[in-house]
Amino acid sequence: MKIFLYILIGLAGGVLGGLGMGGGTLLIPLLTLFTGTGQHAAQTVNLVAFIPMSAVALAIHLKNRLVKWKYLLLVSLPALPAAVGASFLAKAVVGAKLGRWFGIFLIVLGVYQLAGVAIKFFKERKEKNMKKVAAGTEV
Protein backbone atom coordinates (compact mmCIF):
# COMPACT_ATOMS: atom_id res chain seq x y z
CA MET A 1 0.00 0.00 0.00
CA LYS A 2 2.82 2.39 0.87
CA ILE A 3 4.42 1.84 -2.54
CA PHE A 4 1.17 2.96 -4.19
CA LEU A 5 1.29 6.12 -2.06
CA TYR A 6 4.87 6.83 -3.17
CA ILE A 7 3.81 6.36 -6.81
CA LEU A 8 0.89 8.80 -6.40
CA ILE A 9 3.17 11.35 -4.73
CA GLY A 10 5.69 10.92 -7.56
CA LEU A 11 2.96 11.48 -10.15
CA ALA A 12 1.78 14.66 -8.41
CA GLY A 13 5.34 15.97 -8.16
CA GLY A 14 6.00 15.07 -11.80
CA VAL A 15 2.92 16.92 -13.01
CA LEU A 16 3.85 20.09 -11.13
CA GLY A 17 7.51 19.75 -12.13
CA GLY A 18 6.52 19.32 -15.77
CA LEU A 19 4.40 22.43 -15.57
CA GLY A 20 7.46 24.31 -14.30
CA MET A 21 5.90 25.01 -10.92
CA GLY A 22 8.37 23.06 -8.83
CA GLY A 23 7.25 19.59 -7.91
CA GLY A 24 9.09 19.84 -4.58
CA THR A 25 6.56 22.35 -3.37
CA LEU A 26 4.14 19.44 -3.23
CA LEU A 27 6.50 16.47 -3.12
CA ILE A 28 8.25 17.34 0.15
CA PRO A 29 5.13 17.98 2.25
CA LEU A 30 3.41 14.87 0.85
CA LEU A 31 6.41 12.67 1.65
CA THR A 32 6.75 14.00 5.17
CA LEU A 33 3.03 14.04 6.02
CA PHE A 34 1.78 10.83 4.39
CA THR A 35 4.77 8.49 4.37
CA GLY A 36 6.60 9.55 7.52
CA THR A 37 9.74 10.39 5.55
CA GLY A 38 12.07 12.71 7.47
CA GLN A 39 12.50 16.28 6.24
CA HIS A 40 16.12 15.84 5.14
CA ALA A 41 15.34 12.57 3.33
CA ALA A 42 12.27 14.12 1.63
CA GLN A 43 14.37 17.01 0.38
CA THR A 44 17.01 14.60 -0.91
CA VAL A 45 14.38 12.50 -2.71
CA ASN A 46 13.00 15.71 -4.22
CA LEU A 47 16.41 16.78 -5.49
CA VAL A 48 17.20 13.40 -7.01
CA ALA A 49 13.72 13.12 -8.59
CA PHE A 50 14.07 16.66 -9.90
CA ILE A 51 17.00 15.77 -12.18
CA PRO A 52 15.12 13.56 -14.68
CA MET A 53 11.89 15.58 -14.33
CA SER A 54 13.62 18.84 -15.14
CA ALA A 55 15.61 17.30 -18.02
CA VAL A 56 12.42 16.07 -19.70
CA ALA A 57 10.53 19.32 -18.99
CA LEU A 58 13.47 21.36 -20.30
CA ALA A 59 13.63 19.34 -23.52
CA ILE A 60 9.92 19.91 -24.10
CA HIS A 61 10.15 23.62 -23.28
CA LEU A 62 13.14 23.95 -25.63
CA LYS A 63 11.19 22.17 -28.38
CA ASN A 64 8.27 24.57 -27.85
CA ARG A 65 10.66 27.56 -27.84
CA LEU A 66 9.58 28.65 -24.36
CA VAL A 67 13.08 29.18 -22.94
CA LYS A 68 14.06 32.84 -22.59
CA TRP A 69 17.81 32.58 -23.19
CA LYS A 70 18.57 36.19 -22.25
CA TYR A 71 17.42 35.52 -18.67
CA LEU A 72 19.13 32.15 -18.29
CA LEU A 73 22.47 33.44 -16.98
CA LEU A 74 20.82 36.17 -14.91
CA VAL A 75 18.92 33.49 -13.00
CA SER A 76 21.41 30.60 -13.12
CA LEU A 77 24.58 32.34 -11.99
CA PRO A 78 23.29 33.62 -8.63
CA ALA A 79 21.19 30.45 -8.13
CA LEU A 80 24.23 28.14 -8.12
CA PRO A 81 26.09 29.63 -5.15
CA ALA A 82 22.78 30.18 -3.35
CA ALA A 83 21.97 26.47 -3.77
CA VAL A 84 25.37 25.46 -2.40
CA GLY A 85 24.98 27.72 0.63
CA ALA A 86 21.40 26.61 1.26
CA SER A 87 22.45 22.95 1.05
CA PHE A 88 25.02 23.44 3.81
CA LEU A 89 22.48 25.42 5.83
CA ALA A 90 19.84 22.69 5.42
CA LYS A 91 22.27 20.06 6.68
CA ALA A 92 23.05 22.16 9.73
CA VAL A 93 19.40 22.72 10.68
CA VAL A 94 17.45 20.09 12.62
CA GLY A 95 14.81 18.32 10.49
CA ALA A 96 11.84 19.56 12.55
CA LYS A 97 12.95 23.18 12.28
CA LEU A 98 13.69 22.76 8.58
CA GLY A 99 10.18 21.38 8.07
CA ARG A 100 8.67 24.28 10.01
CA TRP A 101 10.55 26.87 7.93
CA PHE A 102 9.59 25.09 4.73
CA GLY A 103 5.95 25.12 5.88
CA ILE A 104 6.15 28.84 6.64
CA PHE A 105 7.66 29.42 3.20
CA LEU A 106 4.81 27.51 1.53
CA ILE A 107 2.18 29.45 3.50
CA VAL A 108 3.75 32.80 2.59
CA LEU A 109 4.04 31.72 -1.04
CA GLY A 110 0.42 30.56 -1.07
CA VAL A 111 -0.85 33.81 0.45
CA TYR A 112 1.22 35.82 -2.02
CA GLN A 113 -0.12 33.88 -5.00
CA LEU A 114 -3.70 33.99 -3.72
CA ALA A 115 -3.44 37.75 -3.19
CA GLY A 116 -2.09 38.16 -6.74
CA VAL A 117 -5.01 36.21 -8.19
CA ALA A 118 -7.52 38.16 -6.10
CA ILE A 119 -6.04 41.51 -7.09
CA LYS A 120 -6.08 40.54 -10.77
CA PHE A 121 -9.68 39.31 -10.51
CA PHE A 122 -10.95 42.50 -8.87
CA LYS A 123 -8.95 44.71 -11.22
CA GLU A 124 -10.41 42.94 -14.27
CA ARG A 125 -13.89 43.11 -12.76
CA LYS A 126 -13.53 46.84 -12.12
CA GLU A 127 -12.29 47.46 -15.68
CA LYS A 128 -15.18 45.42 -17.09
CA ASN A 129 -17.70 47.44 -15.05
CA MET A 130 -16.08 50.72 -16.13
CA LYS A 131 -16.38 49.66 -19.78
CA LYS A 132 -20.05 48.84 -19.26
CA VAL A 133 -20.69 52.24 -17.67
CA ALA A 134 -18.78 53.99 -20.47
CA ALA A 135 -20.81 52.12 -23.07
CA GLY A 136 -24.02 53.09 -21.30
CA THR A 137 -25.14 49.51 -20.79
CA GLU A 138 -25.22 49.84 -17.01
CA VAL A 139 -26.62 52.64 -14.90
Side-chain angles (χ1 to χ4, degrees), residues 96-110:
K97 280 188 179 183
L98 192 59
R100 199 171 309 126
W101 282 107
F102 187 69
I104 291 168
F105 165 74
L106 291 179
I107 290 168
V108 169
L109 182 63

Side-chain angles (χ1 to χ4, degrees), residues 65-84:
R65 300 181 188 268
L66 296 173
V67 176
K68 304 289 185 193
W69 292 100
K70 64 182 178 180
Y71 300 119
L72 187 63
L73 286 178
L74 292 173
V75 172
S76 299
L77 289 178
L80 288 172
V84 171

Side-chain angles (χ1 to χ4, degrees), residues 27-43:
L27 191 67
I28 294 169
L30 290 177
L31 285 172
T32 57
L33 294 173
F34 295 111
T35 67
T37 304
Q39 184 70 28
H40 286 105
Q43 287 182 223

